[in-house]
Amino acid sequence: MDAVTATVITRLEEARAADTRTRDRVCDEAAAELLAAGTPPAFEVRTADLRLDPFFMCADRYWRRRFQERPTAVTAVECARWMEDRVTADSWGAVAEQWALGNGFLNRGAVDSAELPAAAVAGAGGGDGGQRIAFFVTLFHAGKLRANFCFDELHAFLEFSPTSVASGPLRGEPVFVALKSFAAFGSRTLTVEHATGLLERAWSAPGRTRHTVDICLNGLAFAGPFPGQGELLRSHAEEAVRAHPGDHMFHARLATGLHMSGRHDAALENIDTALALLAASPTASLGALQDQYLTKRDAIQEGRLRALRDAEQQLRWEQQSAANAQLERSLHTSSVRAVEVVAVFTAAIAFAVGSLQVTLTGDLALSDRLWLLAAQGAGLAVFGLLIVGGTWLITRSHHQRDRSGG
């Protein structure tokens, strides 16, 4: 063991008991010393804890800088080979997902052609070690394509590329299936049913990891619109928040699902929670994520205000509709009353004219004339009642509809 490595290990051991700020500083300095000396970390990594394990934190910073200097599949192969010797078997999967996907996202601006990862993996050899190296390189390249939302290209790479095929049975890992789901949700050639099937397969897998959950929710959030999308994202994000209550990303995904479902107040509460958790997070991409969350918050606020305006407009429409209905009922009632008055008035005029003819002409006796007037009046009264009754029967159903609708 050289002097630089011995010094770094001693400092990292001491950093275990230090506070968070001091531990971060020590890990940054140790990674910089290893880079300057041209010496990869020569210690074992046993966890993927970015908050408490100084050895993982130091190795993470070392390889992040290596990827930034040369963000290619060649660096991914070198990192995977180092992991074969230095990362314990029980932590290899978590470390591989963290480094491959994370560095793919951070270096999304430097996307290799699909042939370069295949060429880099070609010399990795076979067996379990070769498959793990191919799997790591596949995740690294897929992380770039995912970050750039190259859905169809990602689908083709995962399904058909030699690098992906060389991963062997590791292609059945939940995180790999989640990436296929992400690609399918964004593709314009694959169906929503196919994407949803992949999503549920990855989501229900026993070995589901935090990155698997994140990719599943990411695919749902950025999928082309489809019926039930908001509710599906909301229900899965709620489950993720219950399992990881301190994860800012899952609160942000939940806010997106609630926003899609029209529950703007709850969405605003969750995006504010995501911003607060992000501020306390040591993530390297805090600035970019904060911008994304603030943009989402603005969209939620705008949707909330639009919903309030729509509710007010709907209330005004309902009030206007009620007023129009009342006016229509009043006009209808007035016209019916007018018909009834005209009928009665017509009967009265006819009675008056007829009674004058009876009384002024003819030579009937007074008693006969009185009986004739009585009969004529009764007939005209019956006529008036028939007109009024018929009008009431005709308009009764209309009145009933008005009452039931009111």
Side-chain angles (χ1 to χ4, degrees), residues 47-251:
T47 74
D49 191 339
L50 270 174
R51 298 183 67 89
L52 300 177
D53 185 353
F55 288 93
F56 175 71
M57 294 166 65
C58 176
D60 178 77
R61 286 158 172 75
Y62 172 86
W63 283 108
R64 186 188 305 162
R65 295 187 184 186
R66 288 282 301 272
F67 275 107
Q68 288 174 344
E69 292 173 358
R70 192 183 184 189
T72 67
V74 173
T75 306
V77 169
E78 293 174 359
C79 180
R81 289 187 184 279
W82 180 88
M83 290 173 58
E84 285 294 297
D85 298 328
R86 298 297 180 179
V87 178
T88 58
D90 58 339
S91 297
W92 188 92
V95 174
E97 290 183 15
Q98 177 68 31
W99 286 356
L101 294 171
N103 285 295
F105 174 81
L106 292 175
N107 297 283
R108 57 192 177 277
V111 180
D112 298 325
S113 65
E115 291 76 15
L116 291 179
V121 170
D128 293 344
Q131 289 175 350
R132 284 193 291 269
I133 291 173
F135 181 69
F136 185 88
V137 176
T138 299
L139 291 186
F140 175 65
H141 188 72
K144 292 182 178 181
L145 297 177
R146 173 201 171 198
N148 291 324
F149 302 104
C150 300
F151 298 106
D152 289 315
E153 188 176 348
L154 175 59
H155 168 71
F157 175 74
L158 294 174
E159 290 288 349
F160 309 115
S161 73
T163 310
S164 174
V165 173
S167 303
L170 293 175
R171 301 176 79 193
E173 287 293 309
V175 69
F176 194 98
V177 179
L179 284 167
K180 291 172 65 176
S181 171
F182 175 88
F185 270 122
S187 173
R188 296 298 179 266
T189 59
L190 301 174
T191 66
V192 172
E193 291 74 18
H194 176 69
T196 304
L198 291 170
L199 168 72
E200 296 305 332
R201 179 180 156 196
W203 193 266
S204 60
R208 186 183 76 185
T209 62
R210 186 263 171 202
H211 283 284
T212 299
V213 173
D214 178 45
I215 294 169
C216 287
L217 297 179
N218 192 196
L220 274 174
F222 286 92
F226 63 89
Q229 178 183 9
E231 283 300 314
L232 188 62
L233 175 57
R234 179 199 59 76
S235 62
H236 282 73
E238 283 181 344
E239 183 180 339
V241 167
R242 286 194 296 270
H244 306 273
D247 195 305
H248 57 83
M249 183 66 72
F250 296 157
H251 281 279

Side-chain angles (χ1 to χ4, degrees), residues 11 40 71 90 112 142 154 161 187 257 261 270 272 277 304 361 366:
R11 295 176 63 191
D90 58 339
D112 298 325
L154 175 59
S161 73
S187 173
S261 304
N270 276 275
D272 286 342
L277 291 171
R304 185 169 177 268
T361 62
L366 178 60

